[in-house]
Amino acid sequence: MNLHEYQGKELLKKYGVTVQEGIVIEDTAEVESAYKKLQEETGTEFTVVKAQIHAGGRGKGGGVKLAKNIQELKEHSGNILGMMLKTPQTPGGMDGEGKLVRKILIAEDVYAPDFDANEEIYISILNDRAKKRNVIIYSTEGGMDIETVAEETPEKVFKEFVDPELGLLPFQSRKVAFNLGLSGTAFKGMVKFISKLYTAFTSTDASLFEINPCLKTGDDRILAVDCKVTIDDNALFRHKDIAELRDVHEEDPTEVEAKRYGLSYVKLDGNVGCMVNGAGLAMATMDMIKLYGGEPANFLDVGGTADAERVEQAFRIILQDPNVKAILINIFGGIVRCDRVAKGVVQAASNINIEVPLIVRLQGTNADIAKKIIDESGLKVESAILLKDAADAVSKAIH
Ligand code: GDP
Ligand code: MN
């Protein structure tokens, strides 16, 4: 689950990470009071209006604006709140339709007027699966596209791996500060920043923290100016407070609906709807579809039970996608018997109007009985025992 910048900053603050302060609002009527409050708390004269959407590169799209006084602040707030913000990361990129800005963060200006006095640093923490360790990736080249930095000047991107048994050791935080070329107050500030950030990362079961930029201010403070926070969905059950931060506006509505029914659904760009039990089998099924010249329209794991009701909900979810030209059901009957699943499929298929070709492959306990049930159902369904036959049938159906 992704958090908004303002939510991420609140979370970091709880762990003692220093951040650029701000107040989030949803209505331009709140601008003036937010401004006063922020001034009292931080003494800031200038402010920055920051669009709160789940996408980076907001600055490039006009979603981050500096205001030198209350008039400018009101003007920028009015322009940004409610706008369709296009950034390189919103769907369709700068040519897409953008994302509706429902909230803005009014933040203190933390940059020194002499822009050269500011140092924009890049810091992220994530899991390196190959190394089986968390890694801190950092660079002096913050504020810009880190992918470009990594490509053009890879020597400027550092990595610090953390032993899961030992955790982040003090010498490692010092190494980060040293490699970033910091000294004095800023050095000490960075050592603290990194160690607190790492604690926040592990304590919240995060899968990604990206602080870009992390700023060394003109007066040597270290602050998170921007943050992207992703929390591992599978750990949300033990972080109820974080789970409540979910913003469904930012998620695909069909995916949200699927979650309500306990279905694990991810929309993709192809035209073959898939209904599968088990994530591994779902991945294998998608591979087979591709191998036979199709493109999966979705990933859908119906889970272990695959009863009639679930299958029916899964059909409804898949059919919401107008690109779907055929549906492939691939279910392995291990705990659940294939004949029960087949009855479920027949029942669900007769309850809803399915106009696209349906190919069903049931394998496992009672697979032959299941095939008979499907074949004799009178529904326009093709059944197969082998996955390659099913994938082949799908390919013929869409071409
Ligand atoms: P992103 O474009 O979505 O990554 O949004 P960021 O939060 O990273 O902000 C983009 C840029 O806005 C930063 O790289 C800074 O150059 C600028 N910016 C952010 N906060 C401030 C601030 O307090 N003062 C000034 N002058 N510029 C800021
Ligand atoms: Mn940024």
Side-chain angles (χ1 to χ4, degrees):
M1 181 180 91
N2 293 329
L3 301 188
H4 282 295
E5 173 196 0
Y6 79 93
Q7 297 170 323
K9 282 177 167 171
E10 286 297 319
L11 197 69
L12 295 186
K13 266 175 78 173
K14 281 193 193 144
Y15 290 90
V17 179
T18 41
V19 303
Q20 173 194 43
E21 298 285 342
I23 293 170
V24 70
I25 61 168
E26 298 179 40
D27 193 318
T28 46
E30 302 165 79
V31 172
E32 203 150 338
S33 60
Y35 179 69
K36 280 201 187 115
K37 193 159 168 241
L38 194 63
Q39 263 198 329
E40 275 165 26
E41 285 172 6
T42 66
T44 192
E45 188 191 345
F46 296 173
T47 49
V48 190
V49 182
K50 309 184 81 178
Q52 297 299 290
I53 57 165
H54 285 190
R58 295 162 302 168
K60 286 185 193 130
V64 179
K65 286 267 193 291
L66 180 73
K68 298 201 162 129
N69 51 49
I70 180 74
Q71 283 75 32
E72 284 186 18
L73 176 61
K74 281 184 179 166
E75 202 177 301
H76 294 322
S77 301
N79 290 339
I80 295 176
L81 247 183
M83 85 187 280
M84 292 298 288
L85 178 58
K86 299 184 185 81
T87 89
Q89 292 181 19
T90 47
M94 297 301 277
D95 301 323
E97 58 177 23
K99 264 187 164 181
L100 177 65
V101 180
R102 295 167 191 271
K103 288 180 183 166
I104 52 172
L105 182 65
I106 297 184
E108 59 172 332
D109 172 29
V110 288
Y111 282 61
D114 168 15
F115 223 74
D116 290 341
N118 304 293
E119 278 176 38
E120 290 187 315
I121 296 162
Y122 175 93
I123 302 173
S124 64
I125 310 180
L126 50 115
N127 188 265
D128 185 316
R129 285 164 194 264
K131 291 238 168 38
K132 299 177 183 164
R133 272 156 204 243
N134 290 334
V135 58
I136 302 172
I137 301 176
Y138 60 104
S139 173
T140 50
E141 308 304 296
M144 47 182 126
D145 204 9
I146 195 68
E147 286 84 0
T148 315
V149 180
E151 208 165 289
E152 291 171 5
T153 48
E155 71 282 1
K156 289 189 173 165
V157 180
F158 298 94
K159 286 184 178 180
E160 188 65 28
F161 291 94
V162 184
D163 186 312
E165 295 284 338
L166 302 174
L168 182 74
L169 296 171
F171 87 89
Q172 294 183 290
S173 306
R174 290 199 294 274
K175 192 165 138 201
V176 172
F178 179 80
N179 282 336
L180 287 169
L182 303 171
S183 59
T185 314
F187 184 96
K188 285 187 204 143
M190 181 55 79
V191 171
K192 230 181 182 172
F193 187 93
I194 288 289
S195 82
K196 299 211 156 160
L197 191 69
Y198 191 78
T199 305
F201 182 82
T202 51
S203 308
T204 56
D205 288 309
S207 51
L208 174 72
F209 273 8
E210 188 178 52
I211 315 296
N212 188 24
C214 168
L215 187 73
K216 179 185 97 70
T217 64
D219 56 356
D220 281 343
R221 290 179 300 148
I222 305 293
L223 299 174
V225 166
D226 188 9
C227 72
K228 176 170 184 192
V229 169
T230 309
I231 307 290
D232 186 341
D233 282 322
N234 295 315
L236 284 174
F237 74 94
R238 57 183 183 195
H239 300 286
K240 298 272 188 302
D241 50 335
I242 301 177
E244 280 170 15
L245 301 177
R246 184 181 293 280
D247 183 350
V248 291
H249 294 304
E250 292 287 339
E251 297 179 10
D252 184 284
T254 321
E255 290 180 18
V256 173
E257 193 186 338
K259 222 167 271 166
R260 268 215 308 276
Y261 300 121
L263 305 166
S264 171
Y265 171 89
V266 180
K267 193 186 161 336
L268 301 167
D269 297 330
N271 52 12
V272 181
C274 318
M275 193 190 304
V276 189
N277 66 339
L281 187 59
M283 301 299 271
T285 306
M286 289 157 65
D287 282 350
M288 281 299 270
I289 289 170
K290 278 193 97 117
L291 196 65
Y292 279 81
E295 282 290 335
N298 64 275
F299 166 100
L300 199 163
D301 175 7
V302 290
T305 49
D307 55 22
E309 199 190 344
R310 276 206 159 192
V311 171
E312 191 171 325
Q313 294 304 352
F315 271 130
R316 290 190 200 281
I317 299 272
I318 291 173
L319 290 169
Q320 279 182 27
D321 179 352
N323 294 334
V324 169
K325 298 278 178 297
I327 298 177
L328 171 60
I329 299 184
N330 184 21
I331 289 185
F332 176 74
I335 300 167
V336 55
R337 295 184 340 248
C338 291
D339 52 321
R340 270 202 56 196
V341 178
K343 281 185 193 142
V345 170
V346 172
Q347 192 188 320
S350 50
N351 278 350
I352 37 184
N353 183 21
I354 301 170
E355 282 169 355
V356 296
L358 179 62
I359 296 99
V360 182
R361 184 253 182 172
L362 298 168
Q363 184 57 283
T365 313
N366 293 348
D368 39 356
I369 304 175
K371 187 169 185 322
K372 222 170 147 215
I373 293 171
I374 301 276
D375 290 343
E376 290 171 1
S377 67
L379 290 165
K380 259 183 46 205
V381 182
E382 266 193 72
S383 66
I385 295 276
L386 294 177
L387 181 52
K388 76 176 181 40
D389 297 338
D392 195 36
V394 167
S395 171
K396 292 206 174 88
I398 57 166
H399 287 117

